[in-house]
Amino acid sequence: MPTRTLTRLTLRRPDDWHLHLRDGAMLRGVLPATTADFARALIMPNLVPPVVTAAQAIAYRDRIRAALPRDADFTPLMTLYLTEATEPADVARAHAEGIATAVKLYPAGATTNSNSGVRDFEKVLPVLEEMAEIGMPLCVHGEVTDPEIDIFDREAVFIDRVLKPLRRKVPELRVVMEHVTTQDAVDYVRDSRKGMAATITTHHLIINRNAILAGGIRPHYYCLPVAKRETHRLALVQAAVSGDERFFLGTDSAPHADPAKLQPCGCAGIFSAPVTMACLAEVFEAAGALERLEDFVAVNGARFYGVAPNEGRMTLQKGEAWTPDATVMTGDGPVTVFDPGFALHWRAA
Ligand code: DOR
Ligand code: ZN
C-alpha cells in the first residue's frame, strides 16, 4: 500500500530552549527571525559584560522586549550567567520573582564570552545546592577546557570529569546538557535518572565535521561544541526523532557578523534561527518521524521546564523547493544564515 505523504503539518508553536540574541543593533537585526516562528526562547547570558545578576537580567529582558517587532507574540525567558561570585540568594530571588528561568554554566574559556565562567566547580556548589532546593534548572556548556584534551573529545571527557561528579554531589539538581554533539552524551542522558535532559541544535542534526573541513575550510559551519563524526550525528537524529521527552530543541542560533566569522581566527557560532523549522521538518520527514516533530520543538522542553506547552499553532506547508536568504542584514553587518546543504521544501504557511 502506498504511504500517504504529508504536505501540511500543524503543530503547537515551538520554543527554542537555547538562543543567543546578543544586544543593540545585532539584537534588533536577528530577533525577527526567531519571533516569526517561536513563542518563547531561553536567552543565553553571554553578553559583554555577562548577565550575572537579577538586575542585569531584568534590564536585558527589557531591551529584548523593546526590540520586538510589532505584533510579535514572543516571551523571552532569561538565564543568569554563573560565576564563582554568584550569590545563592540572588539566584533564588530571581527564580522566585520569575525573572530567571535557569542558570547557565560556562566552564571558563570554553566558548564565546566565557571568561567569567567557572574555573573551580567546588566554588559554585552552594549556588547549585540552592538551585536543587528550589528546582531551578542548570544549563551546562559541557566541554572541558583542558588544552591537553582533543577538541573532538571535550564533551565526552566533560561527562566523566565534571558532570558525573557534580551530579553525585548535588543529586537533586535539574540539569540540561546543552547542544549535545556525541553518542556519549545521548547515552549518558538516556541512562541518567530523572532530572537530566539535553538540548539538540538544528545544525548538529544536519552537519558532521566534514562540512567544516572537507574540500575547504567553511567558517560558517564552525561552532562549539564543534560538530563530530557522522556516527554521532546519527545518534543525535535518533534521539531527537525518538519522542524521548529528555531531548528537545535548543537551536544555539548564535549570530556573528560575517567579518567576525571570516577571520584567521573566526568566532564560533551558527545562525540558524531563520531556517530552523524548515530544516527540522526535512530532518524529521527523512527519518519518517514528522508526527514527532511537535514533541521535540514544543512539548518536551516545556515539560522539563515546568511550563504549559504553547496554545497557539503554527502550520508548515510542503511545496516547491525554496531558497532562503543567504544573509540577514543587521546594524552590525551581514550575518550568514545556516545552509543545510539540501533543498528546503517546508515553510511556515
Ligand atoms: O558556537 C557557539 N557560539 N557556541 C557557544 O557555546 C557560544 C556561541 C556564541 O555565543 O557565539
Ligand atoms: Zn550557546
Side-chain angles (χ1 to χ4, degrees):
M1 212 175 66
T3 48
R4 197 172 60 93
T5 38
L6 209 57
T7 56
R8 211 176 152 83
L9 188 66
T10 297
L11 57 159
R12 288 177 185 274
R13 288 189 69 212
D15 298 315
D16 182 349
W17 291 102
H18 184 129
L19 177 66
H20 299 269
L21 284 177
R22 317 302 189 199
D23 214 341
M26 180 63 87
L27 165 64
R28 286 190 294 279
V30 301
L31 186 54
T34 288
T35 62
D37 289 343
F38 292 88
R40 294 175 293 209
L42 190 66
I43 311 301
M44 290 300 118
N46 60 335
L47 304 182
V48 192
V51 180
V52 173
T53 64
Q56 287 169 322
I58 292 173
Y60 185 31
R61 184 176 67 185
D62 289 345
R63 295 198 296 280
I64 295 169
R65 286 178 177 161
L68 284 173
R70 222 194 314 265
D71 303 332
D73 177 7
F74 176 79
T75 306
L77 302 171
M78 309 309 289
T79 57
L80 299 179
Y81 186 118
L82 182 61
T83 74
E84 291 177 3
T86 296
E87 289 288 343
D90 189 54
V91 168
R93 201 175 323 113
H95 189 248
E97 290 172 6
I99 296 156
T101 298
V103 170
K104 178 69 190 266
L105 186 162
Y106 289 103
T111 187
T112 311
N113 304 334
S114 61
N115 287 338
S116 318
V118 177
R119 284 179 175 76
D120 179 355
F121 293 92
E122 292 292 323
K123 292 207 173 124
V124 297
L125 278 180
V127 178
L128 303 186
E129 279 155 6
E130 177 70 29
M131 290 168 61
E133 189 75 29
I134 61 178
M136 184 181 197
L138 179 73
C139 300
V140 177
H141 183 108
E143 287 191 287
V144 290
T145 52
D146 182 346
E148 301 279 301
I149 304 296
D150 189 279
I151 190 160
F152 291 102
D153 297 332
R154 288 182 184 185
E155 181 173 287
V157 172
F158 182 88
I159 295 171
D160 285 331
R161 279 199 196 167
V162 182
L163 200 49
K164 285 179 181 169
L166 198 99
R167 296 261 296 152
R168 274 196 294 274
K169 282 184 192 144
V170 197
E172 300 304 319
L173 182 65
R174 298 168 58 68
V175 177
V176 183
M177 200 173 171
E178 298 291 325
H179 42 53
V180 291
T181 59
T182 55
Q183 172 93 62
D184 311 65
V186 168
D187 290 345
Y188 175 69
V189 170
R190 269 208 193 109
D191 295 343
S192 293
R193 52 182 199 291
K194 222 167 153 320
M196 183 75 219
T199 54
I200 303 178
T201 74
T202 313
H203 48 278
H204 289 119
L205 291 172
I206 293 172
I207 61 163
N208 62 33
R209 61 197 197 178
N210 284 1
I212 315 166
L213 297 170
I217 186 154
R218 293 190 175 72
H220 295 299
Y221 291 131
Y222 174 62
C223 67
L224 289 169
V226 69
K228 309 298 191 296
R229 62 170 69 239
E230 179 66 2
T231 48
H232 294 292
R233 186 190 72 83
L234 292 172
L236 301 178
V237 171
Q238 244 212 340
V241 306
S242 69
D244 185 328
E245 63 184 40
R246 291 166 296 188
F247 298 96
F248 44 86
L249 176 66
T251 64
D252 198 14
S253 181
H256 293 274
D258 285 350
K261 289 286 290 176
L262 307 175
Q263 288 285 329
C265 183
C267 301
I270 294 178
F271 179 51
S272 62
V275 291
T276 275
M277 289 309 297
C279 287
L280 291 177
E282 298 284 346
V283 169
F284 276 67
E285 182 180 44
L290 267 180
E291 73 283 1
R292 286 198 285 276
L293 179 59
E294 184 179 53
D295 289 338
F296 183 66
V297 303
V299 177
N300 297 348
R303 183 173 296 142
F304 183 86
Y305 279 100
V307 295
N310 300 304
E311 279 308 326
R313 296 294 192 273
M314 106 176 275
T315 296
L316 290 164
Q317 177 82 44
K318 187 179 182 184
E320 293 294 306
W322 62 283
T323 309
D325 291 339
T327 59
V328 166
M329 196 38 99
T330 76
D332 268 357
V335 181
T336 292
V337 176
F338 174 61
D339 173 3
F342 50 68
L344 297 174
H345 303 86
W346 293 87
R347 62 199 304 183

mmCIF file of all heavy atoms in Angstrom, residues 18 20 22 44 46 104 106 110-113 141 143 179 203 222-225 252-256 261 267-270, ligand 1:
data_model
loop_
_atom_site.group_PDB
_atom_site.id
_atom_site.type_symbol
_atom_site.label_atom_id
_atom_site.label_comp_id
_atom_site.label_asym_id
_atom_site.label_seq_id
_atom_site.Cartn_x
_atom_site.Cartn_y
_atom_site.Cartn_z
ATOM 1 N N HIS A 18 17.447 27.325 23.746
ATOM 2 C CA HIS A 18 18.856 27.791 23.815
ATOM 3 C C HIS A 18 19.081 28.762 22.657
ATOM 4 O O HIS A 18 19.248 28.348 21.515
ATOM 5 C CB HIS A 18 19.821 26.603 23.706
ATOM 6 C CG HIS A 18 21.251 26.996 23.856
ATOM 7 N ND1 HIS A 18 22.099 26.357 24.740
ATOM 8 C CD2 HIS A 18 22.012 27.948 23.259
ATOM 9 C CE1 HIS A 18 23.303 26.899 24.661
ATOM 10 N NE2 HIS A 18 23.277 27.867 23.756
ATOM 11 N N HIS A 20 20.930 32.629 21.363
ATOM 12 C CA HIS A 20 21.742 33.836 21.543
ATOM 13 C C HIS A 20 21.130 34.970 20.729
ATOM 14 O O HIS A 20 21.007 34.860 19.515
ATOM 15 C CB HIS A 20 23.179 33.599 21.065
ATOM 16 C CG HIS A 20 23.876 32.520 21.824
ATOM 17 N ND1 HIS A 20 24.616 32.774 22.959
ATOM 18 C CD2 HIS A 20 23.919 31.171 21.632
ATOM 19 C CE1 HIS A 20 25.108 31.624 23.426
ATOM 20 N NE2 HIS A 20 24.695 30.640 22.642
ATOM 21 N N ARG A 22 22.164 38.346 21.488
ATOM 22 C CA ARG A 22 23.089 39.491 21.569
ATOM 23 C C ARG A 22 22.355 40.736 22.079
ATOM 24 O O ARG A 22 21.366 40.648 22.762
ATOM 25 C CB ARG A 22 23.774 39.764 20.216
ATOM 26 C CG ARG A 22 24.267 38.530 19.466
ATOM 27 C CD ARG A 22 25.241 37.702 20.224
ATOM 28 N NE ARG A 22 25.827 36.671 19.375
ATOM 29 C CZ ARG A 22 26.424 35.585 19.833
ATOM 30 N NH1 ARG A 22 26.496 35.346 21.119
ATOM 31 N NH2 ARG A 22 26.939 34.704 19.006
ATOM 32 N N MET A 44 20.392 33.167 26.150
ATOM 33 C CA MET A 44 21.710 32.947 26.754
ATOM 34 C C MET A 44 22.306 34.266 27.248
ATOM 35 O O MET A 44 22.111 35.317 26.632
ATOM 36 C CB MET A 44 22.640 32.275 25.744
ATOM 37 C CG MET A 44 22.253 30.844 25.454
ATOM 38 S SD MET A 44 22.283 29.808 26.947
ATOM 39 C CE MET A 44 20.575 29.305 27.072
ATOM 40 N N ASN A 46 25.551 35.264 27.673
ATOM 41 C CA ASN A 46 26.984 35.551 27.445
ATOM 42 C C ASN A 46 27.202 36.838 26.664
ATOM 43 O O ASN A 46 27.846 36.863 25.623
ATOM 44 C CB ASN A 46 27.687 34.366 26.767
ATOM 45 C CG ASN A 46 27.110 34.008 25.403
ATOM 46 O OD1 ASN A 46 25.943 34.293 25.124
ATOM 47 N ND2 ASN A 46 27.909 33.398 24.554
ATOM 48 N N LYS A 104 23.071 29.464 33.713
ATOM 49 C CA LYS A 104 23.937 28.879 32.689
ATOM 50 C C LYS A 104 25.356 28.743 33.202
ATOM 51 O O LYS A 104 25.943 29.704 33.689
ATOM 52 C CB LYS A 104 23.924 29.776 31.437
ATOM 53 C CG LYS A 104 24.825 29.302 30.296
ATOM 54 C CD LYS A 104 24.325 28.027 29.644
ATOM 55 C CE LYS A 104 25.350 27.446 28.678
ATOM 56 N NZ LYS A 104 25.163 27.860 27.304
ATOM 57 N N TYR A 106 29.089 28.114 32.173
ATOM 58 C CA TYR A 106 30.156 28.015 31.174
ATOM 59 C C TYR A 106 31.458 27.696 31.907
ATOM 60 O O TYR A 106 31.875 28.478 32.776
ATOM 61 C CB TYR A 106 30.361 29.349 30.448
ATOM 62 C CG TYR A 106 29.264 29.761 29.503
ATOM 63 C CD1 TYR A 106 28.344 30.740 29.869
ATOM 64 C CD2 TYR A 106 29.160 29.209 28.233
ATOM 65 C CE1 TYR A 106 27.347 31.141 28.999
ATOM 66 C CE2 TYR A 106 28.161 29.609 27.359
ATOM 67 C CZ TYR A 106 27.265 30.569 27.748
ATOM 68 O OH TYR A 106 26.272 30.976 26.886
ATOM 69 N N ALA A 110 35.639 28.072 27.726
ATOM 70 C CA ALA A 110 35.126 27.032 26.828
ATOM 71 C C ALA A 110 34.624 27.589 25.499
ATOM 72 O O ALA A 110 34.701 26.917 24.475
ATOM 73 C CB ALA A 110 34.016 26.241 27.511
ATOM 74 N N THR A 111 34.110 28.827 25.521
ATOM 75 C CA THR A 111 33.498 29.329 24.290
ATOM 76 C C THR A 111 33.396 30.848 24.326
ATOM 77 O O THR A 111 34.000 31.500 25.183
ATOM 78 C CB THR A 111 32.114 28.657 24.078
ATOM 79 O OG1 THR A 111 31.601 29.029 22.801
ATOM 80 C CG2 THR A 111 31.125 29.063 25.169
ATOM 81 N N THR A 112 32.616 31.412 23.385
ATOM 82 C CA THR A 112 32.446 32.849 23.265
ATOM 83 C C THR A 112 32.045 33.495 24.601
ATOM 84 O O THR A 112 31.068 33.079 25.219
ATOM 85 C CB THR A 112 31.326 33.157 22.228
ATOM 86 O OG1 THR A 112 31.592 32.395 21.046
ATOM 87 C CG2 THR A 112 31.271 34.627 21.890
ATOM 88 N N ASN A 113 32.786 34.503 25.024
ATOM 89 C CA ASN A 113 32.490 35.257 26.250
ATOM 90 C C ASN A 113 32.281 34.369 27.468
ATOM 91 O O ASN A 113 31.358 34.576 28.250
ATOM 92 C CB ASN A 113 31.259 36.156 26.058
ATOM 93 C CG ASN A 113 31.438 37.088 24.883
ATOM 94 O OD1 ASN A 113 32.566 37.419 24.529
ATOM 95 N ND2 ASN A 113 30.346 37.485 24.268
ATOM 96 N N HIS A 141 27.171 24.173 29.529
ATOM 97 C CA HIS A 141 28.008 24.020 28.334
ATOM 98 C C HIS A 141 29.003 22.914 28.659
ATOM 99 O O HIS A 141 29.943 23.124 29.415
ATOM 100 C CB HIS A 141 28.733 25.327 27.989
ATOM 101 C CG HIS A 141 29.544 25.206 26.722
ATOM 102 N ND1 HIS A 141 29.186 25.803 25.537
ATOM 103 C CD2 HIS A 141 30.675 24.504 26.459
ATOM 104 C CE1 HIS A 141 30.070 25.489 24.599
ATOM 105 N NE2 HIS A 141 30.986 24.696 25.137
ATOM 106 N N GLU A 143 31.787 21.082 27.955
ATOM 107 C CA GLU A 143 33.091 20.802 27.355
ATOM 108 C C GLU A 143 34.176 21.142 28.368
ATOM 109 O O GLU A 143 34.126 22.224 28.980
ATOM 110 C CB GLU A 143 33.326 21.665 26.113
ATOM 111 C CG GLU A 143 32.517 21.264 24.900
ATOM 112 C CD GLU A 143 33.004 21.991 23.654
ATOM 113 O OE1 GLU A 143 32.746 23.202 23.534
ATOM 114 O OE2 GLU A 143 33.647 21.358 22.815
ATOM 115 N N HIS A 179 23.218 21.644 23.804
ATOM 116 C CA HIS A 179 23.771 21.349 22.470
ATOM 117 C C HIS A 179 24.652 20.099 22.447
ATOM 118 O O HIS A 179 25.842 20.176 22.152
ATOM 119 C CB HIS A 179 24.514 22.550 21.900
ATOM 120 C CG HIS A 179 25.390 23.310 22.864
ATOM 121 N ND1 HIS A 179 26.352 22.710 23.630
ATOM 122 C CD2 HIS A 179 25.438 24.623 23.177
ATOM 123 C CE1 HIS A 179 26.957 23.622 24.362
ATOM 124 N NE2 HIS A 179 26.402 24.798 24.111
ATOM 125 N N HIS A 203 21.682 22.527 13.668
ATOM 126 C CA HIS A 203 22.835 22.217 12.806
ATOM 127 C C HIS A 203 23.506 20.901 13.153
ATOM 128 O O HIS A 203 23.984 20.196 12.267
ATOM 129 C CB HIS A 203 23.842 23.376 12.790
ATOM 130 C CG HIS A 203 24.207 23.924 14.125
ATOM 131 N ND1 HIS A 203 23.424 24.836 14.792
ATOM 132 C CD2 HIS A 203 25.266 23.711 14.936
ATOM 133 C CE1 HIS A 203 24.000 25.154 15.941
ATOM 134 N NE2 HIS A 203 25.113 24.484 16.054
ATOM 135 N N TYR A 222 31.416 26.420 11.664
ATOM 136 C CA TYR A 222 32.206 26.268 12.895
ATOM 137 C C TYR A 222 31.416 26.783 14.087
ATOM 138 O O TYR A 222 30.951 27.925 14.101
ATOM 139 C CB TYR A 222 33.527 27.020 12.784
ATOM 140 C CG TYR A 222 34.308 27.012 14.081
ATOM 141 C CD1 TYR A 222 34.748 25.816 14.646
ATOM 142 C CD2 TYR A 222 34.564 28.193 14.771
ATOM 143 C CE1 TYR A 222 35.422 25.802 15.853
ATOM 144 C CE2 TYR A 222 35.249 28.194 15.978
ATOM 145 C CZ TYR A 222 35.673 26.991 16.512
ATOM 146 O OH TYR A 222 36.336 26.967 17.709
ATOM 147 N N CYS A 223 31.268 25.940 15.083
ATOM 148 C CA CYS A 223 30.581 26.319 16.313
ATOM 149 C C CYS A 223 31.176 25.492 17.429
ATOM 150 O O CYS A 223 32.000 24.610 17.202
ATOM 151 C CB CYS A 223 29.078 26.049 16.189
ATOM 152 S SG CYS A 223 28.706 24.287 16.084
ATOM 153 N N LEU A 224 30.753 25.765 18.644
ATOM 154 C CA LEU A 224 31.187 24.977 19.790
ATOM 155 C C LEU A 224 29.975 24.483 20.577
ATOM 156 O O LEU A 224 29.063 25.275 20.827
ATOM 157 C CB LEU A 224 32.089 25.815 20.710
ATOM 158 C CG LEU A 224 33.472 26.102 20.119
ATOM 159 C CD1 LEU A 224 34.205 27.135 20.946
ATOM 160 C CD2 LEU A 224 34.289 24.818 20.008
ATOM 161 N N PRO A 225 29.917 23.238 20.955
ATOM 162 C CA PRO A 225 30.888 22.214 20.616
ATOM 163 C C PRO A 225 30.925 21.988 19.100
ATOM 164 O O PRO A 225 29.879 22.038 18.436
ATOM 165 C CB PRO A 225 30.368 20.969 21.324
ATOM 166 C CG PRO A 225 29.323 21.436 22.283
ATOM 167 C CD PRO A 225 28.819 22.722 21.783
ATOM 168 N N ASP A 252 20.697 26.994 19.674
ATOM 169 C CA ASP A 252 22.021 27.614 19.814
ATOM 170 C C ASP A 252 22.298 28.520 18.621
ATOM 171 O O ASP A 252 23.447 28.688 18.226
ATOM 172 C CB ASP A 252 23.129 26.559 19.973
ATOM 173 C CG ASP A 252 24.396 27.157 20.557
ATOM 174 O OD1 ASP A 252 24.354 28.290 21.087
ATOM 175 O OD2 ASP A 252 25.449 26.496 20.474
ATOM 176 N N SER A 253 21.238 29.056 18.038
ATOM 177 C CA SER A 253 21.425 30.035 16.966
ATOM 178 C C SER A 253 22.275 31.164 17.540
ATOM 179 O O SER A 253 21.903 31.781 18.549
ATOM 180 C CB SER A 253 20.055 30.542 16.505
ATOM 181 O OG SER A 253 20.204 31.478 15.464
ATOM 182 N N ALA A 254 23.444 31.388 16.938
ATOM 183 C CA ALA A 254 24.455 32.263 17.554
ATOM 184 C C ALA A 254 25.050 33.189 16.492
ATOM 185 O O ALA A 254 26.064 32.878 15.879
ATOM 186 C CB ALA A 254 25.547 31.413 18.198
ATOM 187 N N PRO A 255 24.385 34.329 16.266
ATOM 188 C CA PRO A 255 24.823 35.204 15.175
ATOM 189 C C PRO A 255 26.136 35.921 15.480
ATOM 190 O O PRO A 255 26.358 36.407 16.592
ATOM 191 C CB PRO A 255 23.667 36.219 15.081
ATOM 192 C CG PRO A 255 23.050 36.237 16.448
ATOM 193 C CD PRO A 255 23.189 34.836 16.978
ATOM 194 N N HIS A 256 26.995 35.928 14.488
ATOM 195 C CA HIS A 256 28.185 36.784 14.481
ATOM 196 C C HIS A 256 28.195 37.444 13.107
ATOM 197 O O HIS A 256 27.915 36.775 12.102
ATOM 198 C CB HIS A 256 29.475 35.971 14.630
ATOM 199 C CG HIS A 256 29.636 35.300 15.960
ATOM 200 N ND1 HIS A 256 30.183 35.942 17.051
ATOM 201 C CD2 HIS A 256 29.328 34.049 16.378
ATOM 202 C CE1 HIS A 256 30.212 35.104 18.087
ATOM 203 N NE2 HIS A 256 29.678 33.954 17.703
ATOM 204 N N LYS A 261 33.323 36.337 11.599
ATOM 205 C CA LYS A 261 33.454 34.900 11.300
ATOM 206 C C LYS A 261 34.621 34.657 10.343
ATOM 207 O O LYS A 261 35.307 33.643 10.443
ATOM 208 C CB LYS A 261 32.181 34.380 10.606
ATOM 209 C CG LYS A 261 30.945 34.266 11.464
ATOM 210 C CD LYS A 261 30.974 33.103 12.423
ATOM 211 C CE LYS A 261 30.853 31.735 11.782
ATOM 212 N NZ LYS A 261 30.993 30.672 12.827
ATOM 213 N N CYS A 267 35.056 33.563 14.867
ATOM 214 C CA CYS A 267 34.202 33.245 16.015
ATOM 215 C C CYS A 267 33.447 31.935 15.794
ATOM 216 O O CYS A 267 33.124 31.568 14.663
ATOM 217 C CB CYS A 267 33.140 34.312 16.210
ATOM 218 S SG CYS A 267 33.789 35.933 16.471
ATOM 219 N N ALA A 268 33.109 31.287 16.902
ATOM 220 C CA ALA A 268 32.270 30.081 16.871
ATOM 221 C C ALA A 268 30.807 30.491 16.925
ATOM 222 O O ALA A 268 30.421 31.317 17.744
ATOM 223 C CB ALA A 268 32.605 29.194 18.066
ATOM 224 N N GLY A 269 29.994 29.897 16.084
ATOM 225 C CA GLY A 269 28.567 30.173 16.166
ATOM 226 C C GLY A 269 27.915 30.020 14.808
ATOM 227 O O GLY A 269 28.477 30.424 13.797
ATOM 228 N N ILE A 270 26.727 29.414 14.800
ATOM 229 C CA ILE A 270 25.970 29.196 13.562
ATOM 230 C C ILE A 270 24.608 29.850 13.738
ATOM 231 O O ILE A 270 23.920 29.615 14.742
ATOM 232 C CB ILE A 270 25.825 27.685 13.276
ATOM 233 C CG1 ILE A 270 27.209 27.090 12.980
ATOM 234 C CG2 ILE A 270 24.852 27.431 12.137
ATOM 235 C CD1 ILE A 270 27.210 25.583 12.725
HETATM 236 O O1 DOR B 1 29.241 28.151 18.746
HETATM 237 C C1 DOR B 1 28.928 28.713 19.766
HETATM 238 N N1 DOR B 1 28.599 30.025 19.781
HETATM 239 N N2 DOR B 1 28.935 28.035 20.907
HETATM 240 C C2 DOR B 1 28.737 28.628 22.093
HETATM 241 O O2 DOR B 1 28.791 27.946 23.084
HETATM 242 C C3 DOR B 1 28.560 30.096 22.184
HETATM 243 C C4 DOR B 1 28.046 30.627 20.934
HETATM 244 C C5 DOR B 1 28.146 32.137 20.850
HETATM 245 O O3 DOR B 1 27.795 32.815 21.816
HETATM 246 O O4 DOR B 1 28.558 32.635 19.800
#
